Amino acid sequence: MGIGGGVDAVVTALVWTAGPASAADMAAARLQMALSLGWHIILACMGVGMPVLLLSAEWRAIRTGDGDSMRLARRWAKATGVLFAVGAVSGTILSFEMGLLWPGLMGIYGEVIGLPFALEGIAFFVEAIFIGVYLYGWDRLPPVAHLLSGVPVLVAGVASAFFVVTANAWMNQPVGFVMENGRVTEVSPWRAMFNPATPPQTLHMIVAAFMVAGSVTAAVYAVAMLRGRRDRYHRLGFLIPFTMTAVFAPVQVLLGDYAAKFLADYQPAKLAAAEGLFLTRSGAPLSLGGFAVDGELRYAIEIPNGLSLLVGYSPRTVVEGLDRVPVADRPPVTAVHLAFDTMVGIGFFLLLLSVWYATAWWRRRDLPRSRWFLRLAAVSGVAAVVAVEAGWVVTEVGRQPWTVYGKLRTFDAVNPVPGLWAGAVVVTLVYVVLTVATVYVMRRLARAPQKSAAPQEPE
């Protein structure tokens, strides 16, 4: 048994002897977990998407001998190394929080969902090893060999995201075990990992990661171009990442529709909360904005029959509302609904911006000439991050009051030992330090001079 397993065992033993958690400790545990997830998910997205960008730039440099492409590859490689190191810290914090904050989850269901976490650990080590090889290999490996040494970084990053999201998907669709007298039996880890929610959730998340990395990186160069730096280096620094965003934007809209239809079939309470639908009905409207007050959604803009058409392609499609869900089992509607609207709204914003970019490129092989395009592209970086955070609010808050949907309530999963607020304070301070340090290092990296020649080429 490793250190983490020993901690889990001790905490689990304490759980059975302690009383129920107080409301303050429950809030502290939720706050700490939300902070950790919200912070780490940005690093995770960059870790999945940045290898595509730097490998694309390096491949272009090797193929054409383009010095600007190689300068970009070098800079992005250094940024990837920094973000990976910081993400390793936040990821380690998260792994301990799973056992320390939610022993009711890991103590009962650990053997069911342990497999994806173990596989994610392997993917993490592969990613770490090859990032080291890739960074150390500059100027030491032949160009093609160096390029190929970066491919496992990309594969392991995507695999790592896939494994982690399968565990979360299982929490939404718990299968692969039988519960007998409060204990799990007949465990099938592979069936648990490939549960019904795995395809929509993993595809939606991985594509989102590519879009976040593309939009954030492109936004940096959009700001530089707005400040007058329109040389080839900055144009290329914008084109490569924004092209990735533009390619994935329409795919993500289709995957969002796929995920919403999945919710209609498998988690209707989450869809009802996301759409603010209280009454089961045909001709269900699509509601934009608004607040849930006294069992109804107020001040929303309604598109008649919109939700029924999206769910079943017919205004006669019956969509299940929150009236089919006991009051005690309903998620907080306003938070989930507004987060859902935010995510969808930003998704369509990125789609329209991508269409604008693609149209200009198809007609003139150039960027749109309006400065408004660059202004909106600069905003798209922050917007993509907000969208992915809003998506996780829909996923996590929309599952409440359950930690394991229909099986384990969050109140029964939290650590009942008092004083969880102290951990929340410490972790908050850690993230403040990490944020300041990361921003400082990235700014120093952005201002550092770059070589003009390819690293494998004699200067």
Side-chain angles (χ1 to χ4, degrees):
M1 178 183 294
I3 295 175
V7 171
D8 286 350
V10 171
V11 173
T12 303
L14 290 172
V15 167
W16 305 126
T17 57
S22 68
D25 283 327
M26 180 68 166
R30 279 179 156 153
L31 175 64
Q32 182 176 335
M33 201 69 194
L35 175 62
S36 294
L37 281 172
W39 206 92
H40 182 72
I41 196 172
I42 302 171
L43 277 298
C45 288
M46 298 303 289
V48 171
M50 284 301 291
V52 177
L53 302 181
L54 67 92
L55 290 177
S56 299
E58 187 177 6
W59 172 76
R60 192 175 189 281
I62 293 173
R63 187 171 60 87
T64 64
D66 181 14
D68 288 330
S69 295
M70 190 57 80
R71 288 171 62 204
L72 287 167
R74 273 181 165 273
R75 190 177 292 275
W76 290 344
K78 291 178 181 176
T80 301
V82 171
L83 295 176
F84 178 83
V86 179
V89 175
S90 57
T92 302
I93 293 173
L94 267 173
S95 65
F96 276 96
E97 286 176 340
M98 290 293 290
L100 291 171
L101 295 179
W102 314 106
L105 167 66
M106 301 309 292
I108 298 174
Y109 295 104
E111 61 185 299
V112 182
I113 59 171
L115 178 62
F117 288 121
L119 294 175
E120 193 275 337
I122 295 172
F124 170 78
F125 284 117
V126 170
E127 188 178 7
I129 290 168
F130 278 93
I131 278 184
V133 171
Y134 186 80
L135 294 178
Y136 186 75
W138 286 110
D139 304 324
R140 294 179 175 85
L141 293 174
V144 175
H146 182 262
L147 176 70
L148 292 177
S149 72
V151 174
V153 179
L154 168 62
V155 174
V158 173
S160 182
F162 173 81
F163 292 133
V164 169
V165 177
T166 62
N168 185 271
W170 176 85
M171 293 163 70
N172 287 310
Q173 292 296 307
V175 296
F177 66 95
V178 173
M179 183 65 77
E180 290 182 352
N181 301 320
R183 299 180 63 85
V184 295
T185 61
E186 301 181 32
V187 174
S188 174
W190 289 105
R191 184 163 178 255
M193 194 167 83
F194 291 98
N195 61 80
T198 291
Q201 268 198 242
T202 53
L203 290 172
H204 201 38
M205 184 63 238
I206 291 171
V207 169
F210 286 130
M211 291 183 67
V212 168
S215 298
V216 169
T217 308
V220 173
Y221 293 91
V223 171
M225 292 173 72
L226 285 168
R227 292 176 176 174
R229 282 174 273 177
R230 292 182 176 248
D231 53 89
R232 187 172 180 279
Y233 171 80
H234 287 88
R235 280 174 55 83
L236 201 57
F238 177 83
L239 284 170
I240 294 174
F242 196 81
T243 299
M244 183 166 76
T245 295
V247 167
F248 281 112
V251 177
Q252 186 68 315
V253 170
L254 295 176
L255 288 173
D257 181 66
Y258 170 37
K261 287 182 170 59
F262 174 85
L263 291 181
D265 293 333
Y266 289 87
Q267 276 187 287
K270 182 183 287 187
L271 180 64
E275 295 290 355
L277 184 68
F278 281 85
L279 298 177
T280 301
R281 56 179 290 192
S282 61
L286 193 65
S287 300
L288 307 178
F291 301 89
V293 181
D294 296 333
E296 63 177 340
L297 192 68
R298 297 182 183 177
Y299 315 115
I301 299 172
E302 292 190 350
I303 301 175
N305 303 318
L307 184 56
S308 289
L309 286 169
L310 287 174
V311 169
Y313 306 111
S314 167
R316 292 189 294 275
T317 300
V318 175
V319 183
E320 192 170 319
L322 289 168
D323 57 334
R324 297 282 181 86
V325 183
V327 174
D329 293 346
R330 295 178 184 176
V333 176
T334 298
V336 177
H337 175 60
L338 293 181
F340 184 75
D341 281 359
T342 301
M343 175 186 66
V344 174
I346 293 175
F348 276 97
F349 161 69
L350 294 176
L351 176 64
L352 293 175
L353 198 61
S354 299
V355 170
W356 189 1
Y357 166 74
T359 302
W361 194 262
W362 175 66
R363 296 174 69 178
R364 297 183 286 104
R365 287 292 186 274
D366 199 0
L367 293 173
R369 291 172 179 165
S370 171
R371 284 178 64 85
W372 274 105
F373 175 77
L374 289 177
R375 290 181 181 128
L376 294 174
V379 171
S380 73
V382 175
V385 171
V386 171
V388 82
E389 298 283 4
W392 270 105
V393 170
V394 175
T395 300
E396 296 301 295
V397 181
R399 193 181 58 243
Q400 299 305 312
W402 305 98
T403 291
V404 180
Y405 185 60
K407 306 291 183 184
L408 178 68
R409 290 181 182 276
T410 304
F411 200 80
D412 295 324
V414 71
N415 192 333
V417 176
L420 296 185
W421 61 268
V425 170
V426 171
V427 168
T428 301
L429 293 175
V430 169
Y431 282 121
V432 169
V433 173
L434 277 177
T435 301
V436 172
T438 303
V439 171
Y440 174 77
V441 172
M442 295 300 284
R443 285 176 65 87
R444 287 289 301 268
L445 181 61
R447 294 171 177 173
Q450 284 280 303
K451 289 183 178 180
S452 60
Q456 291 84 1
E457 299 171 350
E459 293 184 72

